[in-house]
Amino acid sequence: MRVCVLTDKPDHPLLAAAASALTEAEHRVMFLNPDAGTGSPSQLVAPGDLADVYLLKAHTPRALALARSLEGLGVRVVNSAAATELCQDRSRIAAVAEGAGLPMPRTRTLDALSEARHGSELPESGYPLMVKSRHSRRADLVARVDGPAGLRDLAAEWSDEPVVLQEFVANSGWDHKLWVIAGEVFAAVRPAPVGAPPDGARPAPLVRDLPQTWTRLALRTGDVFGLDVYGVDLLDREGEPVVVDINAFPGIRGPKGAPEALAALALRLPGPPAYEA
């Protein structure tokens, strides 16, 4: 079987280890950077030389365009271009999650953060709140704001940035990262960047004994968003999980068995259609 990974980072530990496992099993693995060259992304792949499956790790506009072109040729792409694009838009994520009943913070969208410098779009209560770039990308905006003055200051710095204003979630101080590959859940824990108890005391994280309700939530999230490889960031709000971020094909590092799970997914027969925009 021929497997092609769409990425600009072929040396990423997860990808390299999965490629090694596939190669040892006598499958052919290729890496393709969708952002290489200046022509149309569809020209990067000749119709007569297609792989059997493409793993869409890159999330750039050219990567998405190439993925759509491949899907148009009937080739399997994991995750789909539509699901990947959806998970880059925090406003759409919030809307889909709300419609599906997933527990996420209340979210509102501004076309530009500069709108928050004017009275009608500047909340006078409900602080603290989180301000995030609407479009998820490297070095995007994620900041806690504690009052109107802080929001005005942030708006001056990120004036034209499309953003979401999100309800702040007071939490246990731990950010539980759940990564899912074809229904197999891997977990890790990191200190939450904001929202820890005021005294700085954190209870023991749940990663060693993750409640089934948390893993079920992670799996349901994948069903809702049509994802096979994804990450869900959960915060513990008084014992209940709250989804604060969803990422298509994130940079999974560390969990034992993740490369093997990804290799097995690449070889799996296609399942039901993924999310369609």
Side-chain angles (χ1 to χ4, degrees), residues 72-277:
L73 295 172
V75 181
R76 178 177 169 230
V77 179
V78 179
N79 300 292
S80 73
T84 300
E85 185 176 38
L86 168 62
C87 289
Q88 290 180 281
D89 187 333
R90 290 186 171 107
S91 181
R92 292 179 63 200
I93 286 175
V96 171
E98 181 180 9
L102 298 177
M104 283 197 77
R106 293 188 298 272
T107 302
R108 61 186 296 200
T109 304
L110 301 182
D111 291 334
L113 187 50
S114 58
E115 296 176 15
R117 301 171 70 177
H118 308 292
S120 62
E121 297 297 344
L122 180 61
E124 294 299 331
S125 61
Y127 293 94
L129 57 80
M130 296 299 298
V131 180
K132 302 179 181 180
S133 294
R134 173 172 179 171
H135 303 289
S136 176
R137 61 191 188 280
R138 294 173 185 170
D140 61 359
L141 171 62
V142 178
R144 169 177 166 165
V145 174
D146 291 313
L151 190 55
R152 290 190 187 95
D153 291 344
L154 198 63
E157 183 180 354
W158 294 77
S159 178
D160 297 327
E161 182 77 2
V163 298
V164 295
L165 307 183
Q166 203 168 71
E167 170 195 11
F168 176 77
V169 179
N171 57 80
S172 66
W174 295 106
D175 182 359
H176 289 81
K177 292 184 174 294
L178 275 65
W179 298 300
V180 183
I181 302 176
E184 187 171 353
V185 180
F186 304 88
V189 66
R190 304 284 188 273
V194 295
D199 60 4
R202 290 182 170 93
L206 297 174
V207 68
R208 295 181 184 276
D209 188 22
L210 205 63
Q212 288 189 357
T213 53
W214 290 50
T215 55
R216 284 198 296 265
L217 175 57
L219 293 171
R220 182 159 181 263
T221 298
D223 290 339
V224 168
F225 286 86
L227 297 165
D228 286 307
V229 184
Y230 60 98
V232 182
D233 286 6
L234 299 178
L235 292 179
D236 179 358
R237 178 164 61 184
E238 298 179 352
E240 295 297 326
V242 179
V243 178
V244 293
D245 209 358
I246 301 168
N247 296 288
F249 219 133
I252 304 171
R253 294 177 182 267
K256 184 178 180 181
E260 292 77 12
L262 182 59
L265 171 62
L267 302 178
R268 194 180 71 182
L269 293 176
Y275 179 91
E276 294 295 338

